[in-house]
Amino acid sequence: MHVPLFPLAGAILFPRTQLPLHIFEARYRDMIRDAVDGHSHIGMIQPLAAELDKERPALHAVGCTGEIVGLEELDDGRFNIVLNGTRRFRLLREVDRDTLYRNAEVDLDAFDDGEPAPLGLAQRSEVEREARRLGDALGLTVDWNAVGRLDDEMLVNAIGQVAPFDISAKQALLEAQSLDTRADLLVQLMQFLRLSQGSAELQPTLQ
């Protein structure tokens, strides 16, 4: 399958989760218009951290397709969109399609993104506990009652999307093969981030 690519550091999209984005660059405005005229899907993918200063950075091998389910075109041509994650993909090769934005052929069968098995009660509790601890450490105001009503997949993925982890950490969460594996990694990342508060060298950057 061919998809237009939206390389964006620190932005992770998981299947069955939503991601709001503000589109302002001309090439990505074109991409959104083309996607709406086509199958309304784009591929979210992260550039490699070491390549961020390059005009055309190399990309990670795994991303996630998203369907445009919300669209607002502003008077100056910018867009506010909402993506609904559909399937993770493995990047096979970039292809030239005579556009300002990048395009690629991707493998949508590289991951089994069916409905995941629920977390165990102890694992679910650990995720919520570490999320509260991290939220307190970061000084965040969170509606924990609403968080507690999320299903397991939405809980884990929502934290993975919004937490200020670095690029490699977010990528590792995306590539986790199962929800329980992702939950275990998420707990480790939250613990590390909380304990590293106050250390300039260890503090991840919010993208």
Side-chain angles (χ1 to χ4, degrees):
M1 177 180 179
H2 287 178
V3 295
L5 295 178
F6 190 5
L8 187 58
I12 286 290
L13 179 65
F14 297 99
R16 291 176 295 279
T17 63
Q18 293 193 339
L19 179 67
L21 293 169
H22 178 65
I23 309 298
F24 58 89
E25 286 190 53
R27 55 182 165 171
Y28 297 124
R29 296 185 200 180
D30 289 348
M31 181 185 68
I32 297 304
R33 294 187 188 97
D34 291 346
V36 170
D37 290 339
H39 49 61
S40 292
H41 281 76
I42 64 175
M44 294 299 302
I45 194 165
Q46 290 200 119
L48 298 179
E51 302 263 323
L52 289 179
D53 60 343
K54 297 183 179 180
E55 182 176 352
R56 190 181 178 92
L59 305 173
H60 278 279
V62 176
C64 185
T65 55
E67 180 183 8
I68 300 172
V69 295
L71 177 70
E72 176 190 15
E73 184 171 5
L74 305 178
D75 291 340
D76 59 2
R78 293 174 295 140
F79 290 97
N80 290 322
I81 68 170
V82 177
L83 290 179
N84 188 62
T86 50
R87 298 176 67 182
R88 287 179 294 172
F89 62 80
R90 187 167 296 278
L91 181 66
L92 298 178
R93 65 188 62 86
E94 291 197 50
V95 295
D96 184 4
R97 306 202 83 176
D98 194 28
T99 61
L100 294 175
Y101 53 85
R102 299 164 74 171
N103 298 269
E105 182 181 350
V106 302
D107 179 8
L108 292 177
D109 297 320
F111 298 92
D112 179 10
D113 282 332
E115 196 73 25
L119 302 177
L121 291 179
Q123 191 176 30
R124 165 81 188 212
S125 296
E126 187 176 29
V127 171
E128 290 193 32
R129 181 172 61 252
E130 288 303 325
R132 284 177 178 266
R133 289 175 175 173
L134 179 59
D136 290 343
L138 295 176
L140 302 178
T141 301
V142 180
D143 183 349
W144 294 113
N145 290 327
V147 170
R149 292 192 294 270
L150 297 174
D151 64 40
D152 293 343
E153 184 182 31
M154 184 60 71
L155 172 70
V156 171
N157 292 347
I159 296 171
Q161 279 186 342
V162 303
F165 302 135
D166 63 20
I167 291 174
S168 61
K170 284 181 178 282
Q171 190 66 29
L173 288 169
L174 178 67
E175 296 185 19
Q177 289 291 336
S178 63
L179 182 62
D180 64 331
T181 301
R182 184 176 298 144
D184 285 341
L185 177 58
L186 179 65
V187 167
Q188 296 173 33
L189 291 171
M190 289 191 291
Q191 291 172 340
F192 177 82
L193 180 56
R194 174 170 55 84
L195 294 173
S196 68
Q197 292 305 293
S199 170
E201 293 183 355
L202 294 179
Q203 175 77 32
T205 300
L206 179 61
Q207 299 293 333

